[in-house]
């Protein structure tokens, strides 16, 4: 839905975190990390304008994302001991948007999102519809990406992206993502992404969804 997060500034070394698949016992932590990391993204501040509720609403959204993503893609994390510090949630080619059967399987979580988001639920649905239309079916989709706010700009996001992109290039596959934070565009350009098409407005004066693709790299 939103690769979001903050672009990282200059750094000298990676932090001593471990990069690996999301462990089931860490799923709640991972949802909380994504909610905190993305709470100030322009798309979500527009759709979920009540700051006091936004992280709680987003935690429900990302509980659903992670539950479905673990079945139909991959979730990478950076961890420090037993603490999740960063999350990269990915859908495999052809698995996004969710099918009706998958929505039915997640019905309980959908109801919890509606209960928490209340009057903002329709905006979340519209956001999902706008992003789903552009997702390439032949590409790995970066559905969510974020680092815990107090630990940002120290290399954790770069470590996650390097791991993902190395696997992507080894398989010779493309990737697709969106961000609603214009300053993130350069971060992704530096990692091989290019503009997919013109930004899509969430409202007449913005904010905008910036769709980006990374072409497959020839193997061998």
């Amino acid at each position: 839905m939103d690769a979001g997060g903050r672009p990282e500034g200059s750094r000298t070394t990676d932090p001593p975190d471990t990069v690996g698949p999301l462990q089931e016992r860490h799923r709640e932590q991972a949802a909380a990390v994504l909610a905190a990391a993305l709470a100030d993204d322009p798309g979500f501040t527009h759709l979920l304008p009540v700051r006091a509720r936004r992280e709680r609403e987003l935690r429900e959204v990302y509980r659903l994302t992670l539950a479905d993503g673990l079945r139909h893609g991959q979730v990478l994390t950076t961890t420090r001991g037993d603490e999740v510090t960063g999350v990269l949630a990915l859908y495999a080619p052809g698995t996004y948007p969710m099918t009706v059967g998958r929505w039915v399987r997640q019905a309980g979580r959908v109801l919890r999102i509606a209960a928490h988001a209340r009057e903002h639920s329709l905006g979340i649905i519209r956001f999902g519809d706008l992003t789903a239309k552009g997702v390439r079916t032949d590409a790995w989709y970066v559905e969510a990406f974020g680092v815990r706010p107090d630990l940002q700009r120290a290399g954790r996001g770069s470590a996650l992206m390097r791991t993902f992109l190395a696997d992507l290039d080894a398989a010779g596959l493309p990737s697709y993502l969106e961000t609603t934070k214009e300053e993130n565009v350069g971060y992704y350009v530096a990692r091989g992404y290019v503009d997919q098409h013109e930004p899509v407005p969430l409202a007449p004066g913005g904010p905008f969804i910036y769709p980006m693709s990374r072409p497959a790299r020839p193997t061998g």
Side-chain angles (χ1 to χ4, degrees):
M1 184 181 283
D2 191 349
R6 283 188 202 164
E8 295 178 3
S10 60
R11 60 178 176 78
T12 55
T13 60
D14 287 333
D17 292 36
T18 300
V19 179
L22 173 65
Q23 302 298 309
E24 181 61 34
R25 71 181 187 277
H26 289 155
R27 198 187 329 178
E28 285 297 310
Q29 271 197 70
V33 166
L34 286 173
L38 300 174
D40 291 328
D41 268 35
F44 289 131
T45 58
H46 171 74
L47 293 168
L48 307 171
V50 183
R51 184 66 179 88
R53 287 169 40 190
R54 194 179 306 134
E55 277 194 42
R56 186 170 67 251
E57 293 165 335
L58 286 174
R59 275 198 301 273
E60 293 298 334
V61 170
Y62 287 120
R63 284 181 178 121
L64 186 154
T65 294
L66 295 174
D68 189 65
L70 284 169
R71 286 175 174 265
H72 300 282
Q74 182 181 20
V75 181
L76 295 174
T77 60
T78 50
T79 55
R80 189 173 56 183
D82 207 42
E83 184 178 38
V84 176
T85 58
V87 185
L88 178 60
L90 307 156
Y91 275 104
T95 63
Y96 192 90
M98 291 169 60
T99 62
V100 172
R102 283 157 61 190
W103 279 114
V104 170
R105 187 179 297 119
Q106 300 289 344
R109 291 187 175 91
V110 172
L111 291 174
R112 282 195 291 275
I113 291 170
H116 281 81
R118 301 195 292 275
E119 73 277 16
H120 305 144
S121 297
L122 291 178
I124 294 173
I125 292 169
R126 180 171 175 268
F127 190 17
D129 286 345
L130 285 173
T131 56
K133 289 175 183 175
V135 176
R136 292 176 52 175
T137 58
D138 64 336
W140 275 88
Y141 175 42
V142 180
E143 208 284 348
F145 175 37
V147 172
R148 211 175 76 186
D150 61 318
L151 298 175
Q152 290 176 0
R153 303 179 187 276
R156 292 173 175 86
S158 291
L160 285 167
M161 287 298 291
R162 274 199 307 275
T163 300
F164 165 54
L165 295 178
D167 290 344
L168 191 76
D169 291 345
L173 292 171
S175 174
Y176 174 87
L177 58 80
E178 312 102 354
T179 181
T180 60
K181 212 167 190 179
E182 187 175 6
E183 57 264 42
N184 283 1
V185 171
Y187 176 86
Y188 293 116
V189 167
R191 286 151 180 80
Y193 287 85
V194 296
D195 293 341
Q196 174 77 13
H197 53 72
E198 288 297 308
V200 178
L202 270 173
F208 294 88
I209 301 167
Y210 297 88
M212 305 189 75
S213 285
R214 186 178 187 273
R217 304 287 176 92
T219 55

